[in-house]
Amino acid sequence: MFKILNVVVITIALFGLFALSSFTIERKYKEIAVRKVLGAETGSLLKILSKQYIYLSVIGFAIAIVPSYLLMQMWLENFAYRISISIWVYVFAFVLLLSLSLLVVLLKAYSATRINVLNYLKYE
């Protein structure tokens, strides 16, 4: 049951991240159009659009790592067979966090780089 609930929570969080990235990227359509006219490549546009989400993910993970480690250690002390938490659990969680958040953000950012430039610059 915990596995199912974890999947549901992660899915809801990814939907929220997709909505946030959609809102932010749609506000930057004119900037994307200007950069495309000036010759920016798709890779550089994707880097610009996803950089802030990478920073936010790293900062969020850095803030959460210490309390989660301390709480897990306190919880695991109550068991008869004690185990220690390996650093690889946190490395795996960090890699999974970055890959899922980048996947969600890059999907929206890639569709934003395929916009028709004329629709956003015709009045400028």
Side-chain angles (χ1 to χ4, degrees), residues 40-103:
E41 295 179 0
T42 303
S44 65
L45 288 173
L46 291 177
K47 182 180 174 186
I48 290 169
L49 294 173
S50 65
K51 185 177 11 175
Q52 71 181 1
Y53 295 103
I54 293 172
Y55 290 150
L56 289 175
S57 297
V58 170
I59 290 169
F61 187 80
I63 291 171
I65 195 167
V66 174
S68 69
Y69 179 76
L70 293 175
L71 289 173
M72 287 300 293
Q73 286 291 35
M74 287 177 9
W75 182 60
L76 290 173
E77 286 177 358
N78 296 328
F79 289 98
Y81 297 105
R82 291 179 181 86
I83 61 169
S84 62
I85 301 172
S86 173
I87 190 69
W88 297 111
V89 173
Y90 290 103
V91 170
F92 176 72
F94 183 67
V95 169
L96 187 65
L97 166 78
L98 277 183
S99 62
L100 286 176
S101 62
L102 275 177
L103 176 72

Side-chain angles (χ1 to χ4, degrees), residues 18 21-29 32-33 36 42-43 45-47 49-50 102-117 119-120:
F18 184 76
S21 65
S22 296
F23 177 72
T24 305
I25 290 171
E26 284 181 13
R27 287 183 30 191
K28 293 183 178 185
Y29 273 169
I32 294 168
K36 282 180 66 173
T42 303
L45 288 173
L46 291 177
K47 182 180 174 186
L49 294 173
S50 65
L102 275 177
L103 176 72
V104 167
V105 172
L106 288 178
L107 284 174
K108 183 61 183 170
Y110 184 74
S111 67
T113 60
R114 297 291 176 216
I115 61 170
N116 188 1
V117 177
N119 291 340
Y120 294 96

